[in-house]
Amino acid sequence: MHLCSKQHFRVFYYMGNIVNTFPKEERLNSKNNIDLLFKKGESFVHFPFRIVYVRLSDEDLSARAAMFVSVPKKKFKRAVKRNFLKRRVKESYRLNKSNLLSILEQKQQRLAIAFLYLDKEIRDYENIEKKMVESLEILYSKL
């Protein structure tokens, strides 16, 4: 196992495979799956996130977990700020998703997840990552 020394750009190698990546299959962009997520999904709030999730079948989703991030235009008028927050949330998910994927692999489940950003202010990366870890732990307990 090899660990790069940079603090915010951690890449783990395990037997030649990169563990912390965010491939296209893990991005939730199908309108049908997103509609299903908000119609039949369960949710909880762990500020600054509202997490909505739903279990899907193998036909609906190719990856074990697919996610997307939403930052409301009502709270952040400028697209630059919305995109900045989305990048922070995606990066914190990417670095901390390994436990979620292993749990889903053990249970043979597939999951669609939406992270809705609720705060009115831009938080620093360390705070977002801390809240992401806590949110994912709550999600583990609900599976």
Side-chain angles (χ1 to χ4, degrees):
M1 187 172 195
H2 177 263
L3 175 65
C4 292
S5 63
K6 292 183 180 179
Q7 185 177 6
H8 292 296
F9 186 71
R10 293 180 274 181
V11 178
F12 297 95
Y13 293 93
Y14 181 71
M15 292 192 193
N17 296 329
I18 298 175
V19 176
N20 288 345
T21 60
F22 193 54
K24 193 170 185 173
E25 298 84 40
E26 292 185 4
R27 296 179 194 154
L28 189 62
N29 52 14
S30 165
K31 183 170 175 13
N32 293 336
N33 287 343
I34 293 171
D35 289 343
L36 186 67
L37 174 66
F38 285 106
K39 284 180 187 171
K40 296 187 179 181
E42 302 173 41
S43 69
F44 63 92
V45 174
H46 186 71
F47 198 78
F49 301 117
R50 177 175 177 242
I51 293 93
V52 183
Y53 64 97
V54 67
R55 291 173 188 87
L56 295 175
S57 65
D58 291 346
E59 302 88 45
D60 293 332
L61 205 57
S62 60
R64 281 283 163 211
M67 65 87 72
F68 80 95
V69 179
S70 176
V71 179
K73 190 185 267 191
K74 186 175 183 179
K75 294 179 183 175
F76 296 96
K77 304 290 185 212
R78 303 248 176 211
V80 172
K81 290 182 180 181
R82 290 194 305 273
N83 292 336
F84 179 70
L85 281 167
K86 286 182 200 178
R87 281 194 303 273
R88 280 190 173 179
V89 174
K90 283 179 196 173
E91 180 68 4
S92 64
Y93 172 78
R94 182 185 72 85
L95 293 175
N96 296 295
K97 69 177 178 177
S98 57
N99 288 340
L100 175 66
L101 295 179
S102 63
I103 289 170
L104 291 173
E105 187 70 37
Q106 290 171 359
K107 296 185 176 187
Q108 293 296 313
Q109 293 178 347
R110 299 195 185 278
L111 200 65
I113 313 166
F115 290 94
L116 311 175
Y117 192 82
L118 302 176
D119 203 353
K120 294 178 182 171
E121 296 179 7
I122 297 176
R123 293 177 173 241
D124 60 341
Y125 178 78
E126 287 77 20
N127 194 331
I128 289 176
E129 186 173 32
K130 178 184 167 203
K131 295 297 184 174
M132 176 62 73
V133 169
E134 293 169 1
S135 299
L136 289 174
E137 288 173 359
I138 294 169
L139 185 60
Y140 307 151
S141 66
K142 293 183 180 284
L143 297 176

